[in-house]
């Protein structure tokens, strides 16, 4: 039982990180009705900015405190993501209002390559480390209940807690604020939202700023765990099964989908992997997503769209 719980907790923590990346997709889709292929590039760009600023700030300002340097680096990286959001709206989205979804989709592909290229130009293309002070030593819990206790990685635990707080805050933002309701209205119908006075351009800037902050937090956590390198952009691919399971329009769905994927990957690798030769963790999520696409394409919490003619 202790080993099962240890695997379960590991899956839940990984699932929270998947949910964090998936939230970026959900945020953009809810505001523009388009799947944002640039989310992985945004995570990479934000992680590069955070890593390089945290390296440069002590040299520029002579700061010795790791916490203060990271706070300043986080603020500067956040400003970079706000600048990206403003440029995306000003140079791309503003000119594509009321265009077909495929047109907006192709625009996000262009943004992807732009961010990857600019990130490499501004911050370099080496492998960088982000040290945000999270403890990396494992800890044993419930040792009074199970012999030897349950091994938990402190870094994973802190990362999961950060992701959980951000997810809860975003859920409240969408459900309880006027801006959140305006975002949902824009996603449903651009022209109808404009007709009742919702400023479409401002809404898009806001949602891309929020998605940029989500990408920054995700990039900071994944960069701390894995190092910042250009393969980090592919972390968005790990979130695709999450949004298929949870639904592309649902913030709670991104959370539940991430937890299901995280736990399913860990348990299947541990208990089914030895029976079929291992490697099941790599493709388990995509097979599960394929099953959902066949039988429930809108996901667990997504909205079923019915067109009447």
């Amino acid at each position: 039982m202790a080993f099962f719980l240890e695997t379960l907790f590991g899956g839940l923590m990984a699932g929270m990180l998947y949910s964090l990346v998936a939230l970026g997709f959900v945020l953009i889709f809810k505001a523009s009705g388009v799947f944002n292929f640039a989310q992985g590039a945004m995570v990479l760009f934000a992680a590069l900015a955070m890593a390089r600023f945290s390296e440069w700030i002590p040299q520029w300002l002579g700061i010795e405190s790791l916490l203060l340097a990271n706070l300043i680096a986080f603020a500067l990286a956040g400003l970079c993501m706000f600048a990206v959001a403003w440029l995306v709206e000003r140079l791309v989205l503003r000119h594509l209002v009321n265009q077909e979804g495929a047109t907006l989709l192709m625009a996000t592909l262009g943004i992807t390559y732009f961010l990857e290229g600019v990130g490499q130009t501004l911050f370099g293309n080496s492998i960088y480390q982000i040290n945000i002070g999270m403890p990396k030593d494992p800890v044993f819990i419930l040792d009074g209940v199970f012999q030897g206790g349950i091994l938990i990685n402190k870094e994973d635990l802190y990362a999961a807690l950060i992701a959980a707080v951000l997810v809860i805050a975003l859920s409240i933002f969408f459900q309880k604020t006027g801006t959140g309701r305006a975002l949902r209205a824009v996603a449903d119908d651009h022209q109808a939202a404009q007709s009742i006075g919702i400023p479409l351009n401002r809404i898009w800037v806001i949602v891309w700023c929020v998605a940029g902050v989500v990408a920054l937090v995700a990039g900071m956590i994944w960069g701390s765990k894995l190092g910042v390198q250009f393969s980090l952009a592919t972390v968005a691919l790990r979130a695709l099964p999450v949004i298929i399971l949870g639904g592309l329009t649902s913030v709670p769905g991104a959370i539940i989908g991430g937890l299901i994927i995280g736990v399913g990957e860990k348990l299947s690798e541990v208990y089914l992997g030895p029976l079929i030769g291992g490697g099941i963790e790599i493709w388990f999520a995509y097979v599960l997503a394929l099953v959902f696409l066949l039988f429930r394409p809108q996901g667990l919490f997504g909205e079923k769209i019915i067109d009447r003619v």
Side-chain angles (χ1 to χ4, degrees), residues 205-226:
V205 170
I206 291 174
V207 76
W208 277 79
C209 285
V210 175
V213 172
V214 171
L216 174 57
V217 175
M220 181 178 67
I221 294 175
W222 282 100
S224 176
K225 290 170 61 65
L226 306 174

Side-chain angles (χ1 to χ4, degrees), residues 64-101:
E64 297 183 359
S65 170
L66 176 63
L67 176 60
L68 181 58
N70 281 331
L71 287 175
I72 297 175
F74 184 85
L76 291 176
L79 289 176
C80 287
M81 299 311 295
F82 290 163
V84 168
W86 183 82
L87 289 173
V88 165
E89 190 280 325
R90 176 71 61 169
L91 301 178
V92 182
L93 298 180
R94 172 171 297 196
H95 306 286
L96 297 177
V97 174
N98 298 323
Q99 295 296 317
E100 294 293 333

Side-chain angles (χ1 to χ4, degrees), residues 239-248 250 252-254 256-262 284-293 296-302:
L240 295 182
V242 173
I243 56 180
I244 291 174
L245 261 68
L248 196 51
S250 173
I256 302 300
L259 296 178
I260 292 175
I261 292 295
F284 171 83
Y286 299 96
V287 172
L288 185 59
L290 178 60
V291 173
F292 268 77
L293 286 174
R296 191 177 173 84
Q298 74 270 25
L300 292 173
F301 301 95

Side-chain angles (χ1 to χ4, degrees), residues 267-297:
L267 292 179
S268 62
E269 180 66 25
V270 170
Y271 292 102
L272 298 180
L275 301 178
I276 61 176
I280 191 174
E281 187 175 2
I282 299 174
W283 52 261
F284 171 83
Y286 299 96
V287 172
L288 185 59
L290 178 60
V291 173
F292 268 77
L293 286 174
L294 292 174
F295 296 101
R296 191 177 173 84

Side-chain angles (χ1 to χ4, degrees), residues 7-306:
T7 305
L8 179 65
F9 287 157
L12 290 174
M13 294 174 193
M16 284 305 303
L17 297 183
Y18 291 158
S19 298
L20 191 58
V21 178
L23 273 177
F25 290 101
V26 173
L27 290 172
I28 300 297
F29 189 86
K30 286 177 74 69
S32 62
V34 65
F35 187 82
N36 177 31
F37 267 107
Q39 189 62 33
M42 291 173 64
V43 172
L44 171 63
F45 187 90
L48 280 172
M50 179 68 189
R52 298 298 275 162
F53 281 133
S54 63
E55 178 184 335
W56 292 336
I57 290 299
Q59 301 174 7
W60 292 346
L61 304 179
I63 296 175
E64 297 183 359
S65 170
L66 176 63
L67 176 60
L68 181 58
N70 281 331
L71 287 175
I72 297 175
F74 184 85
L76 291 176
L79 289 176
C80 287
M81 299 311 295
F82 290 163
V84 168
W86 183 82
L87 289 173
V88 165
E89 190 280 325
R90 176 71 61 169
L91 301 178
V92 182
L93 298 180
R94 172 171 297 196
H95 306 286
L96 297 177
V97 174
N98 298 323
Q99 295 296 317
E100 294 293 333
T103 302
L104 290 169
L105 176 63
M106 294 304 296
T108 65
L109 287 175
I111 295 170
T112 298
Y113 291 112
F114 174 78
L115 289 179
E116 289 181 356
V118 170
Q120 184 174 357
T121 300
L122 294 178
F123 303 114
N125 55 5
S126 299
I127 299 176
Y128 305 104
Q129 297 296 323
I130 296 180
N131 181 13
I132 56 177
M134 288 196 301
K136 298 182 180 295
D137 298 330
V139 62
F140 289 92
I141 63 172
L142 300 178
D143 50 352
V145 179
F146 302 101
Q147 185 177 2
I150 298 174
L151 181 65
I152 298 294
N153 189 302
K154 282 186 179 180
E155 185 179 30
D156 290 341
L157 180 59
Y158 278 92
L161 290 175
I162 293 172
V165 170
L166 184 58
V167 165
I168 292 172
L170 288 173
S171 298
I172 294 174
F173 169 75
F174 269 103
Q175 299 298 327
K176 303 298 183 180
T177 67
T179 302
R181 289 189 288 270
L183 291 175
R184 298 201 306 271
V186 170
D188 290 338
D189 192 315
H190 295 171
Q191 291 180 330
Q194 285 181 304
S195 69
I196 61 174
I198 295 177
L200 185 60
N201 294 334
R202 183 171 66 88
I203 289 297
W204 273 352
V205 170
I206 291 174
V207 76
W208 277 79
C209 285
V210 175
V213 172
V214 171
L216 174 57
V217 175
M220 181 178 67
I221 294 175
W222 282 100
S224 176
K225 290 170 61 65
L226 306 174
V228 180
Q229 50 192 311
F230 272 77
S231 62
L232 190 63
T234 62
V235 73
L237 297 177
R238 305 289 290 178
L240 295 182
V242 173
I243 56 180
I244 291 174
L245 261 68
L248 196 51
T249 60
S250 173
V251 171
I255 304 169
I256 302 300
L259 296 178
I260 292 175
I261 292 295
V263 171
E265 283 184 348
K266 296 298 182 182
L267 292 179
S268 62
E269 180 66 25
V270 170
Y271 292 102
L272 298 180
L275 301 178
I276 61 176
I280 191 174
E281 187 175 2
I282 299 174
W283 52 261
F284 171 83
Y286 299 96
V287 172
L288 185 59
L290 178 60
V291 173
F292 268 77
L293 286 174
L294 292 174
F295 296 101
R296 191 177 173 84
Q298 74 270 25
L300 292 173
F301 301 95
E303 300 172 359
K304 188 173 183 179
I305 300 175
I306 300 175

